[in-house]
Each structure stands twice: as structure tokens, then as C-alpha cells.
Amino acid sequence: MKAIRRFTVRPVLPEPLHPLSDLARNLRWSWHAETRDLFQAVDPACWAACGDPVRLLGDVPAGRLAELAGDDRFLRRLTAAADDLRDYLSGDRWYQRRSRQDALPAAVAYFSPEFGITAALPQYSGGLGILAGDHLKAASDLGVPLIGVGLLYRHGYFRQSLSRDGWQQEHYPVLDPHELPLVRIEEPDGTPAQVMLALPGARFLRARIWLAQVGRVPLLLLDSDVEENDLSERGVTDRLYGGGSEHRLLQEMLLGIGGVRAVRTYCRLTGHPEPEVFHTNEGHAGFLGLERINELSAGGGPSGLDFDAALEAVRAGTVFTTHTPVPAGIDRFDRDLVARHFGPAAELPRIDVGRILRLGRETYPGGEAHLFNMAVMGLRLAQRANGVSLLHGEVSREMFAGLWPGFDAEEVPITSVTNGVHAPTWVAPEVLRLEAGRQADAADAADAADDTGEGAERWDAAAGLADPDLWQLRRTLRERLVSEVRERLRASWRQRGADTAELGWIDSVLDPDVLTIGFARRVPSYKRLTLMLRDRERLTELLLHPERPVQIVVAGKAHPADDSGKRLIQELVRFADDPRVRHRIVFLPDYGMAMAQKLYPGCDIWLNNPLRPLEACGTSGMKAALNGCLNLSVLDGWWDEWFEPDFGWAIPTADAAALDVDRRDDIEAAALYDLLEQRVTPRFYERGQQGLPDRWIEMVRRTLTRLGPKVLAGRMVREYVERLYAPAAGAHRALDPDAARELAAWKARLHRAWPGVSVDHVETSAALPGAELGTALALRVRVGLGDLGPDDVVVQAVSGRVDSEDRITGASVVPLKPVAGPDTEGRWSYEGPLALDRTGPFGYTVRVLPAHRLLASPAEPGLVAVPSEELVEGAGVLMR
Ligand SMILES: *Cc1c(COP(=O)(O)O)cnc(C)c1O
């Protein structure tokens, strides 16, 4: 019989067990092995089945709870765990110590469409969400006062299984928030706190706010499935990345606009300090800037700002992180659709819709006028922006250079902060527990906690093991993976309709002594899931090699609307189903955090072969590295930055533009097979004097000690704090209403006057041919500033080596000094030395840029004046 209504009866814990409830509700258990051990002790079978403390406490029989309430040993452990959590949540950490020197923000709001914190809260689809989860956890460890903001999707992302013939099947289990590790935010009178958005047609979108406590960091999740909403509005937060364009727009309006309202509500109800910085993880939450403009323009009174001034104030405190150079990864909405959802009859009625539309316009060559681009709006609403690896920073500057016409890509104000991963979440408990053996040196551990903020859980203890022990540890981890794979594979085959009697072969799938390669990630085409299948004969030979075989574990979900991705999965599954190779290559359905945590530690090689440079960063290889797994990857994302021959192997790329994709895949796949045959497998199977693969073990150790510290999320969050949050908070404070009005008025004047700015005359003191290294020339220029004065601009000499097309590379920039002016024609003279500090072809030019104390970068207004073509020709500004 089907129930007509469901609700959840909360367990009543016996008094002595009350602390269990706090431990269950703070997600710190998800990265704290001792707390997990405690829950496991409550009911091992139940824990193995659900891995979720909230569910566990709901399922444990009352008799067992009564028993535990009288078990002194258990109660002592419980007290210790509760004390440990209390200590973790209180006291000063890195951020508090750091803020004694520098004015750090009182709080930072961090918005993301997805958060991957634990498998028990499945609100993520892939890397973007996991990164957001790791960001919150590392912020918690460091004491950064972050508030996370996201949506609570009723079905999360989908669960994946396979049909008999290997086609991806999607399932959408219902997640009941009452059964998740969440509490509802309530008003003082006990009613649920709500945010509300006005929709066209006099409709309303309401959402409740749920709180997930992530260590010290509150994560607010908005849920539109409330009775007061009409049916269609109830479904706004139904699925992550599902639905059509309008659905996506409503989700993003709720996330951005509703998210700011939720933060205000939370701060009002709890006394939490208001954020001074708003950070948007990818463009999806970009509307948050509009809501804050709306707040600042409220009331019209003396504190009310007009749009331009409010925009300046908002930009100052906003950080935008772009995550992808793949166009499909960027949201673009139809302009008319956006227009319909804003304005007098919808949301943000005080703001002129035309102004909103201009923020998302693709004003660069090739841009599409009818589209509203969320990344473009993100860049216009944030004074500070970044990509997620050095290479991706470069790619992003080129990709968005059109928004700063006249500037070289290097000068586009987008920096980069390379992603990191949260060690206590991703390092195998077996490895973390090694630390227990080193407890003797407790002071050392405490120091480490101080400067890394990763907590006393040192993750790299394995590096201190002797070779035989380290190798034994690697084998243990591989063995764990082998049993995990068999279990999952059996379940998958049962699901695909096989009978237990047919599945005896699964007991000999994978071998704990064979070199194990992992490949797991989402399946967009640029990640090339099936590159390894390019030459099936060669792959088969690798798998079945009599002395040096490899085995491969593959996993990944294709987006439900992506049939080409599903075809790739099917191709791989069919290959892996072949009885000749099925003991050496497996595809595991339903890739997610739970599987990932088992997979990375058990692999020897983590394979990554995207189309360079489309992988913005990639983080799975970092998680593998922290467990002593070596990387075998195309030089893309983070690997391009940190690859060293000690940490693994670089797959050569054939990324010349002229090459067609097919040919490129052939070349790169061949390079991959070559590396595996000639370099990787020999090194794994070679044996030294002690019967161990000495050189492999040395690579593992170097990966742990030298690569490990770079890839930590703590390092990433510290960089965000120091390089982006702190300056943004400073800019936010500087832009009080008067300063915001001043800056807006100045920019308006600047844009009006700029057509009158010109470089009219350039001369140098010495004859140019035969210029010698080490000498300096005196440079004298005359510039026209129109209605602007020397206080509004900088005049710069830009010099350096020139390439064959006379482009200056690796430029050095020197400001020139105003010496006279204005003359009768309104021109100003500037002078300065030009150092000939490089040999070879050398060139210089002169330019005028806007200057104002409140600009973060002179490129910010997107205006520059350079010498006219005639002047360049006539004066021979470039010298060879
Ligand atoms: C780390 C992780 C990812 C991201 O992996 P990439 O290599 O960056 O694509 C995706 N899914 C899960 C479950 C992860 O843990």
C-alpha cells in the first residue's frame, strides 16, 4: 500500500547519548575519522549500510541505544569526541591570528550552485561542487568566517546505473530534508524563515532556508518545495542542472537574489557578522550583485545610491571565480527571458531593466546580441576575478580579452588561484591513522596545525615509512580497492539483470598485485573518456601482458541530456564486458564521493587525458597524489603548473590548431600507450635488491612530500584570503556611499572625456640605431587629455623585447612624470628614462591609462590611448 503522506519521527536519545546528536548534525564527522569510528561502534551493520549519522540514529533500535547509554567505555569515547568537536569549534585559528596584522573581512559569503561535502548530502554533480565543499571545510579548519550559500535540490543530481547493453540509466531518489543532516532556520516565533522572489504574472517564488553546519562554517541551502508555492514554483529546486532555460534562470535568481536575502536573514537571526565580501563560485550565482545593488539603492534617501554608484560599491566587495573555458559550461540566457523576469512587474523593480541587460551583453567581436551571458555579468559585477590554475588564468584572460579592448591579454584583470583539495576528506583513513603511531611528537603536530590549518591530522605520515612498509601500505590500499570494485561490480551486474550463478568470474576481477590505473570524472566530450580505446589491440596487450599487466578502473556520469556522453560510456562498458579482458578493466556505475574516496587511494596511476587547455584545473589527480598515487596526465590545468618527473608522467599533446581532432586523438593515444609500455609499467614491475620497486617508491614519497603540500585546500583558501578577500574587504570599506558616488561620477566623466585623450608626440634623446645594453634614453612625450587632467591618468612607457610582428613581449612598464602643461593646445608634456635593459630586438611604446585611487587595476575601466598609426610610422617608435 502506498502512504498518502510521509513524515519523519525523530529518535529520542537517552540522556547520556545526547552529544551524539550534536556530533551527527555537524558535518565535521565527514572529515574526522574518530567521530566516524564512534558512529560505526553504535551499529556497525547499520553504519556500513548508510554511512550517515543522522540516518543511523533514526534506524538504531531503542534497545541498542539503551545498552550504549549504560556502556561506560562508549560514553568515555563519546565525551572525548564531543570535547574534541567543541575545541574544534572554538578558539583562534590561522585567520584570527592573521587578522591581528591585517584588516581581514568580518565575514565572507560564498555562493555556489552545488556543494559536495559528503555522500550523505548529495548536492553536487562533479568537480565544481566538490571544490566548493573542500573550500568550506578548509575555511572551517583555518577559522575563516565564511557563510556558504546554495540550493537544496529535492533530487540532488541523478544516480546512475547501466542497462544490460551498457546504456546509462538515471534515477532520481527523493531526498527528504528531515532525513538529511540539516536544520531549518526559524524566526523567533518558531515559523520557518523564508525568502521570497516576485515573478512575472503576479506570482511569487518562496523558499525555506536549511542550515548544514560544516565545522565552523554555516551552509545555507534554499528549498522552494514549500506548500505556499504553486506547483511549478515548488519544482524550481527539483534537480541540479536539470530543466530548460527558464527553469535554470529561476534557479539562478533564487540562488543569487534569494541567497543574499537568506544571508541577511541568517545574520539577523543569529547575530553573525554581515559579509563584507561576496564570492561567487562560477557565474551561476551572479545575480547576487544585482540584489546588493538593489539593497543600496533602497529608500532613495541620503544613503540611497543611484545605479552607477551602487554598482561601484558592490563591485568593490565582489570576487568572481570562473571555472571553465568550455562554452557549454557558461550559462547564456535569451535576453528577452531575462528582461521578463526583472523590472516593475517582477523582481528588482527599482533597477532599470536596460541596465541589467547591459551587464550581461557580449560586447566583443563574435558576441551574440540576443544573449545574456552570466560569466560576462560576473566579470562586470566583480572588481576581482580569477581562474583556477595558472594556465586557466591565462586562457581566461585571452577568452575574455574582448571585454577590455585595447589591452593585451596579459593585462586583462583576471588572476588565478590554483585549486586545492581537503586532505582529511580525501586521504584514506588507513593513511591518516598512521599519525597515531607518531603521536609521541605531539608538539610537532600542533605546530603543523598552526601554520597549515589542516588540523592536527597530518596527512603525509606515509612518507616517513621505510620502503617495505610504504610498499605494503600501497598494496593494502590496492587490495581494499579490489574488494570494493568486486562488490560494486556484482551489484551492477545484478542490476543489469544477471543471475548470481553467472557471476562467479567477478571473484577474480582485478588483482591486488597488478599496476592499477584509475580514470573517473564527469563525461563531457573534452575529457575523452574513451581515448584509451583508440587502439583496442594495444590496450588489450597492455591489459593482458604476461609479465607487466595493467588493470583499469573507470567511472563517470554523463549529463542526462548528453547522448554523445552516454554513447562513450556504452562504448567503454561494452569493451569492459568482453570476457577476454573483463578481469582487467571495469566500469563502475554511479561515480560519487563515496566511490571516489575508495578509488583514489587504491590506484597506482591516475590517468587524465583532456583536450588541452579545456581542463581548467582538475582536482581528482590532486586527491590521488595525496594518497601516494602517481599522475599520468596531459599537461593541462594544475598538472601543467606542478608536473615534475618525480611526480608522474606528462602525456605529450598535439595541440597545434591546424590538426583535426581525429588525428590529434590518434597521436595523443599513441603517446599514452608508449608511456605505459615503455616507462610506467617497467618502473612499477622492476625489482631492486630488497625485492621492491625502489624507483617507484621514491616517486611515491616525493609526490607525498613535495607535491602534496601544494595541492592542499588550506593553501588555496589562504591564497583567496590574502590575495582576494582581504583586498576586496579593503575596497568595500573604502567605498562608503560618498566614495561610491565619487567613483561613479569620475567614471562617467572619464568615459565622456576619453575620446579627447591622445598621444601626440614621442621623442627620445639619443639616436636609436646601435643602442647599447645598460644605457638609458630620455623619453619625452606630449599627450592630449581633453577635459581630463594629469590627476585622472597615468602616462606609461611600455618596453621590452619585440617579436617578428613588433609585438612587445614580457613588457616592463614605467610611469612618466608630467613636466609641463597644458600648452596653448591643451597638451601636457611627460618625461622619463627608458632603460635598455635587454639585448636583441627591443621596442617601446607609450600609452595613457585612467588612474584613480579606488581602481583595483588601471585596466578596470577598459580604456587606453596609444600613439596613432601615423605617429608610429613617422617617428619610428619601434626600434630593432
Ligand atoms: C574530485 C572529484 C571530481 C572532479 O574530478 P576532475 O578530475 O577535476 O574532473 C568529480 N567527481 C567527484 C566525485 C570527485 O571526487
Side-chain angles (χ1 to χ4, degrees):
M1 244 183 299
K2 201 167 158 51
I4 56 162
R5 205 159 284 152
R6 61 180 282 158
F7 49 92
T8 306
V9 184
R10 295 249 178 202
V12 181
L13 293 172
E15 215 272 334
L17 299 184
H18 277 183
L20 274 178
S21 157
D22 297 332
L23 287 167
R25 228 156 277 289
N26 192 313
L27 291 166
R28 196 223 180 191
W29 63 260
S30 68
W31 70 96
H32 194 247
E34 281 101 277
T35 309
R36 284 200 303 277
D37 293 347
L38 185 74
F39 282 113
Q40 185 187 27
V42 169
D43 188 334
C46 201
W47 178 255
C50 69
D52 171 0
V54 170
R55 197 154 296 203
L56 175 91
L57 295 182
D59 289 355
V60 184
R64 173 68 183 147
L65 292 175
E67 191 185 328
L68 286 170
D71 178 342
D72 286 340
R73 234 184 108 241
F74 182 83
L75 293 179
R76 274 197 302 279
R77 280 176 73 188
L78 176 58
T79 308
D83 288 350
D84 183 80
L85 178 62
R86 208 181 40 244
D87 288 348
Y88 177 82
L89 298 177
S90 60
D92 283 0
R93 300 239 148 193
W94 171 82
Y95 192 86
Q96 287 69 35
R97 286 192 293 277
R98 184 75 177 63
S99 65
R100 281 176 216 134
Q101 310 155 25
D102 279 306
L104 300 181
V108 175
Y110 178 90
F111 286 60
S112 175
E114 45 173 315
F115 284 93
I117 293 161
T118 150
L121 189 60
Q123 298 288 321
Y124 61 89
S125 84
L128 182 74
I130 312 274
L131 178 81
D134 282 5
H135 195 103
L136 298 196
K137 291 171 185 173
S140 169
D141 292 343
L142 292 165
V144 181
L146 215 67
I147 304 176
V149 184
L151 300 179
L152 182 73
Y153 304 96
R154 187 49 43 122
H155 301 279
Y157 201 47
F158 69 94
R159 303 290 303 265
Q160 178 196 50
S161 63
L162 296 172
S163 72
R164 183 86 200 196
D165 64 349
W167 192 252
Q168 169 176 299
Q169 313 283 302
E170 294 113 28
H171 313 270
Y172 293 89
V174 182
L175 302 169
D176 179 347
H178 297 282
E179 290 172 0
L180 295 173
L182 301 171
V183 285
R184 198 172 64 183
I185 303 279
E186 292 176 353
E187 294 291 340
D189 66 2
T191 55
Q194 268 197 1
V195 299
M196 193 158 84
L197 268 67
L199 302 185
R203 291 174 305 140
F204 292 94
L205 167 61
R206 298 171 183 83
R208 274 184 293 201
I209 311 165
W210 295 93
L211 169 71
Q213 193 63 42
V214 186
R216 299 165 73 121
V217 171
L219 167 60
L220 310 178
L221 297 171
L222 294 173
D223 168 16
S224 74
D225 190 8
V226 299
E227 280 177 16
E228 297 90 324
N229 276 339
D230 288 345
L231 210 56
S232 63
E233 278 75 64
R234 285 185 78 157
V236 165
T237 53
D238 57 354
R239 290 175 184 183
L240 176 55
Y241 304 142
S245 204
E246 177 157 14
H247 190 77
R248 268 304 261 286
L249 179 68
L250 288 176
Q251 286 191 339
E252 297 187 4
M253 288 178 67
L254 183 60
L255 175 60
I257 300 170
V260 173
R261 294 175 188 171
V263 168
R264 303 300 183 210
T265 305
Y266 179 77
C267 292
R268 167 172 60 79
L269 292 171
T270 61
H272 194 289
E274 290 283 350
E276 295 186 279
V277 174
F278 286 74
H279 181 184
T280 159
N281 189 40
E282 195 42 279
H284 311 296
F287 292 125
L288 71 88
L290 294 181
E291 167 64 3
R292 286 159 57 228
I293 290 175
N294 178 54
E295 290 177 333
L296 291 173
S297 45
S303 66
L305 297 179
D306 67 14
F307 183 88
D308 289 315
L311 174 63
E312 295 304 336
V314 164
R315 277 170 51 82
T318 306
V319 176
F320 169 51
T321 301
T322 171
H323 277 272
T324 180
V326 179
I330 293 177
D331 279 311
R332 296 154 93 206
F333 295 110
D334 197 85
R335 258 169 79 84
D336 297 336
L337 179 70
V338 176
R340 258 204 317 285
H341 285 83
F342 289 94
E347 208 24 270
L348 310 187
R350 278 194 294 269
I351 303 183
D352 173 26
V353 180
R355 296 305 305 264
I356 295 176
L357 294 177
R358 264 157 65 189
L359 289 170
R361 232 176 101 188
E362 300 181 344
T363 48
Y364 39 81
E368 296 186 55
H370 68 283
L371 291 179
F372 185 92
N373 184 313
M374 292 296 282
V376 167
M377 178 175 73
L379 291 167
R380 291 195 176 123
L381 283 175
Q383 199 177 32
R384 286 168 183 77
N386 70 292
V388 290
S389 67
L390 268 183
L391 179 62
H392 178 238
E394 226 173 86
V395 170
S396 302
R397 287 188 287 276
E398 272 161 32
M399 185 169 158
F400 292 112
L403 295 176
W404 287 270
F407 288 86
D408 289 346
E410 306 91 87
E411 292 185 289
V412 166
I414 301 175
T415 182
S416 66
V417 175
T418 305
N419 286 163
V421 297
H422 185 246
T425 300
W426 295 109
V427 175
E430 292 86 347
V431 181
L432 288 175
R433 277 198 197 102
L434 285 174
E435 189 53 31
R438 305 206 311 183
Q439 279 301 322
D441 208 354
D444 177 38
D447 281 352
D450 277 1
D451 48 41
T452 68
E454 291 286 334
E457 293 141 308
R458 292 283 300 273
W459 54 273
D460 61 348
L465 295 177
D467 282 9
D469 299 334
L470 183 51
W471 190 238
Q472 183 52 43
L473 173 68
R474 296 290 319 148
R475 188 183 191 279
T476 306
L477 296 171
R478 202 182 303 118
E479 204 167 23
R480 298 258 150 91
L481 175 61
V482 170
S483 11
E484 174 83 12
V485 165
R486 289 177 189 166
E487 222 170 276
R488 284 181 180 265
L489 195 63
R490 187 168 289 109
S492 170
W493 270 106
R494 294 277 257 303
Q495 225 273 329
R496 291 173 73 183
D499 207 82
T500 318
E502 301 173 69
L503 297 179
W505 61 275
I506 288 183
D507 293 331
S508 48
V509 161
L510 304 196
D511 178 331
D513 290 305
V514 164
L515 167 58
T516 305
I517 301 176
F519 184 104
R521 41 184 59 85
R522 293 179 302 109
V523 191
S525 57
Y526 79 87
K527 292 191 187 242
R528 296 193 293 190
L529 172 74
T530 54
L531 189 73
M532 65 177 89
L533 298 183
R534 200 76 191 163
D535 181 341
R536 289 166 188 234
E537 279 316 303
R538 262 185 105 175
L539 177 63
T540 306
E541 279 166 26
L542 275 162
L543 294 169
L544 303 180
H545 193 285
E547 290 99 40
R548 300 195 300 264
V550 303
Q551 56 194 9
I552 309 182
V553 182
V554 187
K557 293 174 172 180
H559 187 278
D562 176 18
D563 275 354
S564 64
K566 293 184 206 176
R567 269 194 294 278
L568 297 182
I569 290 175
Q570 186 174 44
E571 223 182 293
L572 204 121
V573 170
R574 284 188 171 158
F575 181 85
D577 282 352
D578 183 341
R580 284 201 312 148
V581 296
R582 67 186 181 188
H583 60 299
R584 286 278 156 74
I585 179 166
V586 295
F587 179 89
L588 299 181
D590 208 29
Y591 181 48
M593 287 185 79
M595 186 200 295
Q597 283 167 322
K598 296 270 171 37
L599 186 53
Y600 306 137
C603 290
D604 300 291
I605 287 288
W606 194 252
L607 174 64
N608 180 37
N609 47 230
L611 274 172
R612 187 179 192 268
L614 297 183
E615 188 63 83
C617 179
T619 50
S620 56
M622 297 178 170
K623 302 176 217 165
L626 287 184
N627 285 283
C629 172
L630 307 181
N631 276 272
L632 170 59
S633 169
V634 158
L635 283 175
D636 201 2
W638 73 278
W639 190 237
D640 184 63
E641 198 166 325
W642 288 329
F643 160 74
E644 280 182 31
D646 281 346
F647 307 154
W649 292 267
I651 305 169
T653 42
D655 43 12
L659 219 58
D660 76 75
V661 255
D662 246 9
R663 178 99 183 90
R664 177 171 174 175
D665 284 359
D666 280 341
I667 295 174
E668 296 183 7
L672 169 62
Y673 301 130
D674 286 348
L675 274 173
L676 284 170
E677 286 162 6
Q678 295 157 23
R679 315 287 281 285
V680 181
T681 52
R683 185 156 299 182
F684 182 86
Y685 287 104
E686 83 189 350
R687 287 296 180 269
Q689 303 226 311
Q690 289 179 282
L692 298 171
D694 301 327
R695 288 203 291 168
W696 190 281
I697 293 172
E698 198 43 36
M699 287 175 78
V700 170
R701 190 171 280 120
R702 298 224 169 136
T703 295
L704 291 171
T705 53
R706 302 219 343 266
L707 176 57
K710 300 183 207 230
V711 303
L712 298 178
R715 186 270 312 148
M716 165 183 74
V717 170
R718 290 197 305 271
E719 273 194 56
Y720 273 105
V721 168
E722 291 173 345
R723 295 179 42 214
L724 294 164
Y725 297 165
H732 160 80
R733 288 172 196 164
L735 276 186
D736 59 25
D738 287 340
R741 285 192 197 96
E742 178 203 325
L743 182 59
W746 177 78
K747 277 194 183 172
R749 187 162 69 84
L750 185 73
H751 281 276
R752 275 195 311 273
W754 202 256
V757 175
S758 58
V759 178
D760 296 336
H761 186 78
V762 179
E763 63 186 49
T764 43
S765 61
L768 295 178
E772 275 173 43
L773 179 67
T775 56
L777 307 177
L779 195 60
R780 192 181 169 94
V781 303
R782 270 209 310 278
V783 297
L785 296 183
D787 293 335
L788 300 175
D791 289 346
D792 300 316
V793 298
V794 281
V795 178
Q796 297 174 333
V798 181
S799 64
R801 280 182 157 278
V802 287
D803 64 14
S804 56
E805 286 162 55
D806 285 343
R807 269 193 309 258
I808 298 171
T809 57
S812 57
V813 175
V814 180
L816 303 177
K817 283 203 189 65
V819 290
D823 66 11
T824 49
E825 290 157 65
R827 297 213 174 89
W828 296 77
S829 293
Y830 279 74
E831 274 181 13
L834 182 69
L836 302 184
D837 53 1
R838 263 163 270 206
T839 53
F842 185 85
Y844 74 89
T845 187
V846 172
R847 65 180 181 183
V848 186
L849 293 172
H852 193 281
R853 68 189 153 79
L854 296 170
L855 292 184
S857 134
E860 190 182 313
L863 298 172
V864 57
V866 292
S868 65
E869 289 294 325
E870 306 88 77
L871 193 63
V872 172
E873 300 293 318
V877 165
L878 289 161
M879 52 179 160
R880 309 302 309 271

